[in-house]
Amino acid sequence: MTVPRVAASVIVMRDSDSGPEVLLVQRNPEQKFMGGAWVFPGGAFHESEDADHAATAVRELEEEAGIALPEDAELVPFSRWITPEGELVSIRFDTWFYAARAPEGAEARPDGGECVDARWITPAGALEAHAKAEHAGVKVI
């Protein structure tokens, strides 16, 4: 059995003329775990973070998308997902998700290593893009 690594992600939101949008980053297709997938910015916990899941989420947002949340930003606990066990599962995560408002004028800049692209999209638009990719025979995670 693979023990899940502790991780955290941020669902960054902003208002737009089309309605609320979330920030998604595209993982580098060469990554072992979920390569090419569009995901919320996030990553694994570092021992130096003193079991502070929110600090992990904030750090990962800045590393992967170049967005720094202000010191007083409110991070709202949203969900916790644990990758299910399975015979073919070699990487598992125990991920805490937080929701936060994007700083005014925030523009995402993918790091070019872990993440190769970024986009602001409505949740409905993200689901539609996912469905189109599946129907086109594109591998979707």
Side-chain angles (χ1 to χ4, degrees):
M1 177 171 71
T2 304
V3 176
R5 293 179 62 194
V6 177
S9 291
V10 182
I11 303 166
V12 184
M13 300 173 288
R14 72 177 186 184
D15 293 322
S16 78
D17 293 340
S18 303
E21 293 179 325
V22 295
L23 174 65
L24 295 179
V25 293
Q26 185 181 28
R27 290 186 48 79
N28 187 326
E30 296 177 11
Q31 294 284 330
K32 184 177 178 181
F33 183 77
M34 295 183 66
W38 287 90
V39 298
F40 298 117
F45 169 78
H46 292 176
E47 291 300 322
S48 63
E49 289 167 322
D50 228 5
D52 185 344
H53 300 103
T56 297
V58 169
R59 175 185 51 75
E60 288 287 337
L61 173 63
E62 189 164 3
E63 286 178 6
E64 293 182 353
I67 295 177
L69 292 179
E71 193 75 26
D72 63 346
E74 181 180 9
L75 269 78
V76 178
F78 182 76
S79 184
R80 180 181 179 198
W81 296 355
I82 301 173
T83 310
E85 295 178 37
E87 286 182 34
L88 302 176
V89 178
S90 62
I91 300 174
R92 295 181 63 214
F93 289 95
D94 178 353
T95 306
W96 296 77
F97 288 84
Y98 293 87
R101 179 176 290 275
E104 193 66 35
E107 290 299 326
R109 294 179 317 279
D111 66 5
E114 282 187 78
C115 300
V116 296
D117 201 358
R119 72 169 66 151
W120 291 97
I121 190 168
T122 64
L127 292 172
E128 184 178 315
H130 178 79
K132 283 182 181 176
E134 282 186 333
H135 291 299
V138 175
K139 178 185 169 194
V140 179
I141 299 174

